[in-house]
Amino acid sequence: MAGANQTPAEYISHHLVNLTYGKLPAGYERVDAEGHSHVLEQATWTIAHGSQEAADMGFMAIHLDTMGWSIALGVLFCWSFARVAKNVTAGVPTGFQNFVEMIVGFIDDNVKSVFHHNNPWIAPLGLTIFVWVFLQNLMDLIPVDWIPWLAMQMGVDYMKVVPSTDVNATAGMAIGVFILILYYSIKQKGVGGFAAELAFQPLPKWAMPFNLFLELVGLVAKPISLALRLFGNLYAGEMVFILIAVLSNVGLWIVLSFGLHFVWAVFHVLIITLQAFIFAILTVVYLAMAYDHH
Amino acid sequence: MNINLTLIAQLISFAIFVWFCRKYIWPPIVNAMAEREQQIANGLQAAERASADLEDAKAQIAAELEDAKQQAAQIIEQANKRGSQIVEDAKEQAVAEGQRLKEAAKSDIEQEVNRAKEQLRSQVATLALAGAEKVLQASIDESAHRGIVDKLASSL
């Protein structure tokens, strides 16, 4: 466990705090580990000690662990796939090229079955989302304490290794998708056409306010559901892993904990793949809807 | 669950990764896969064509074999016909030759006979004359009575 003398509640909440770098306002009172407190004379950019400071930083803060891991995984994706793309051959595919082609073919088939317009961005977008989100989710299968413990040895207090358990990460991607939905809706239908679509259906024109309300809720629900579905699933899964890990600290329960961990991990293999696929395919579906005239 | 700058940072890195994938990953891999698909399709098509060609060739071989057999039979038949023709011709020729030889021999014989007759006649005349001369002694003028005796000889 990350800390030797923690209560289960402390342990759990410790696992749920991101490594946050942000701006504390002037006059903020910080309390260090020994209980001494001092007041900041001016606004300071620093790493938060504990969840309270992280929360007090407000919007002007960034989760170093989320960004570090997600960028590292994104780079891993780009690097490994680009290496295949560089040496790709139309002859007999071998080794990793097989694997990459399997994923690319899988995404390509799915995108073609959903998205019937000509847009060279959609399929690569789907591939990026699928693989990147999958890799982020995959971090959930690393036993919950390994990397935080390593980080602790290196003097880093907080380390959340699964980027998709951070709502900022999932919402960041979902907002990207939302921007694309708006862009392609307007590009395909024009501002007027898009507005008409929002205002003049499902009921006739006289019910415009009602229509507008209904359609806007529907529109905004797309990115929110994308972000929260992924976040919720992974956050809950991570929480279960943490709870199982808590068990292992309580005497005889350790055997049961191992068993449970294994069972949940096997089940989680399904969840992380499914959630990555759902995020990718719903993105494509939403963009197909942006193209279609209703 | 603090919403903060991470959101923006993640949005930006998302955009960069998508751009990278669109630019450097997706096109070469998909192109290679399409190319391979084409190659496989071509290969299958070629195999199909080859097997069709093989069928054609087999049929052609059978037809040519049949043709050759027919020709051979024809040639043999012709040869047979020609052979019997030759034999027939030879027979005819032999018969004709025999006939001719017979004719020639006949005429030879006839000639010989005639010649012998002629000789005999002339000798008879001479003999008769000699006999008559003996009988009549010098009373006969040879030049005056030669004609009579010759006439006698020719009537033999």
Side-chain angles (χ1 to χ4, degrees):
Chain A
M1 291 191 56
N5 304 316
Q6 286 173 317
T7 66
E10 280 170 348
Y11 172 78
I12 292 169
S13 61
H14 183 264
H15 263 288
L16 296 180
V17 176
N18 282 104
L19 179 64
T20 312
Y21 179 77
K23 190 166 117 182
L24 286 172
Y28 188 83
E29 187 181 351
R30 301 189 86 182
V31 182
D32 61 21
E34 283 87 42
H36 305 301
S37 74
H38 69 280
V39 176
L40 293 173
E41 285 163 18
Q42 55 193 10
T44 315
W45 282 88
T46 180
I47 287 178
H49 300 303
S51 58
Q52 187 53 49
E53 280 192 15
D56 290 340
M57 284 171 176
F59 190 76
M60 294 309 283
I62 189 161
H63 294 157
L64 296 178
D65 46 3
T66 298
M67 287 321 299
W69 286 109
S70 69
I71 288 174
L73 292 167
V75 169
L76 175 69
F77 156 64
C78 286
W79 172 75
S80 57
F81 275 54
R83 218 176 49 136
V84 169
K86 201 176 152 198
N87 303 317
V88 75
T89 143
V92 181
T94 50
F96 192 56
Q97 191 190 332
N98 259 325
F99 178 69
V100 166
E101 283 190 3
M102 192 186 77
I103 297 173
V104 169
F106 172 69
I107 294 296
D108 201 30
D109 286 348
N110 277 293
V111 169
K112 274 181 184 147
S113 70
V114 173
F115 190 87
H116 302 294
H117 308 275
N118 188 22
N119 186 335
W121 283 92
I122 303 301
L125 175 72
L127 178 71
T128 309
I129 291 174
F130 179 66
V131 180
W132 194 28
V133 170
F134 175 77
L135 288 174
Q136 291 181 29
N137 294 350
L138 193 63
M139 298 300 288
D140 213 3
L141 293 183
I142 299 173
V144 283
D145 279 321
W146 284 10
I147 296 174
W149 181 83
L150 269 177
M152 195 80 96
Q153 302 308 303
M154 291 187 286
V156 179
D157 283 336
Y158 298 99
M159 181 58 69
K160 256 180 93 176
V161 297
V162 192
S164 44
T165 57
D166 183 348
V167 75
N168 288 293
T170 62
M173 288 185 286
I175 287 171
V177 172
F178 188 54
I179 291 170
L180 287 177
I181 292 174
L182 294 181
Y183 172 74
Y184 283 122
S185 290
I186 291 170
K187 194 182 167 203
Q188 289 299 310
K189 301 158 188 166
V191 178
F194 184 43
E197 202 162 83
L198 292 177
F200 300 146
Q201 60 164 17
L203 294 178
K205 286 185 183 179
W206 53 263
M208 199 176 88
F210 177 74
N211 289 339
L212 210 54
F213 171 73
L214 209 65
E215 289 291 318
L216 280 177
V217 168
L219 187 66
V220 173
K222 288 173 182 173
I224 291 179
S225 67
L226 268 185
L228 292 187
R229 179 184 306 106
L230 180 60
F231 164 71
N233 272 281
L234 269 292
Y235 188 82
E238 174 82 341
M239 188 64 93
V240 172
F241 275 124
I242 292 170
L243 290 175
I244 293 171
V246 168
L247 270 186
S248 71
N249 201 33
V250 192
L252 278 176
W253 288 96
I254 193 159
V255 178
L256 178 65
S257 165
F258 277 16
L260 281 175
H261 193 117
F262 176 75
V263 171
W264 184 241
V266 169
F267 182 55
H268 220 55
V269 170
L270 177 70
I271 292 179
I272 62 176
T273 317
L274 197 64
Q275 287 305 322
F277 178 66
I278 288 174
F279 200 114
I281 213 67
L282 277 183
T283 298
V284 177
V285 169
Y286 290 156
L287 290 174
M289 286 163 76
Y291 264 77
D292 291 337
H293 293 264
H294 299 293
Chain B
M1 244 187 84
N2 310 315
I3 297 288
N4 55 32
L5 279 177
T6 313
L7 188 82
I8 312 290
Q10 184 80 2
L11 173 59
I12 293 166
S13 40
F14 177 54
I16 292 170
F17 289 137
V18 170
W19 170 83
F20 184 89
C21 181
R22 161 78 182 92
K23 188 97 178 156
Y24 298 108
I25 295 175
W26 189 265
I29 293 179
V30 167
N31 287 346
M33 286 168 78
E35 199 181 317
R36 184 179 316 122
E37 209 173 282
Q38 191 58 47
Q39 279 177 5
I40 291 171
N42 288 347
L44 287 177
Q45 215 173 11
E48 224 162 83
R49 219 172 25 231
S51 80
D53 283 356
L54 185 64
E55 284 305 311
D56 283 0
K58 271 183 183 164
Q60 207 179 344
I61 287 169
E64 266 172 30
L65 210 61
E66 195 60 35
D67 219 29
K69 269 183 189 164
Q70 250 169 19
Q71 265 181 6
Q74 220 172 358
I75 287 168
I76 289 169
E77 203 184 331
Q78 267 178 357
N80 279 341
K81 229 191 260 178
R82 182 131 177 72
S84 52
Q85 179 80 38
I86 287 168
V87 169
E88 209 65 35
D89 283 1
K91 264 185 195 166
E92 247 164 61
Q93 248 175 1
V95 170
E97 183 73 9
Q99 202 69 32
R100 199 179 57 79
L101 284 175
K102 223 159 82 180
E103 297 288 321
K106 238 184 201 167
S107 69
D108 266 8
I109 292 165
E110 234 162 80
Q111 235 172 348
E112 211 63 33
V113 169
N114 284 347
R115 204 186 307 144
K117 273 181 184 172
E118 207 61 40
Q119 244 172 3
L120 214 58
R121 241 176 240 140
S122 66
Q123 281 174 0
V124 167
T126 314
L127 265 175
L129 273 185
E133 210 172 30
K134 284 268 172 47
V135 172
L136 300 175
Q137 287 298 352
S139 66
I140 297 168
D141 179 12
E142 197 187 322
S143 58
H145 299 104
R146 180 86 195 180
I148 301 166
V149 178
D150 276 347
K151 219 187 268 177
L152 176 72
S154 71
S155 71
L156 282 172

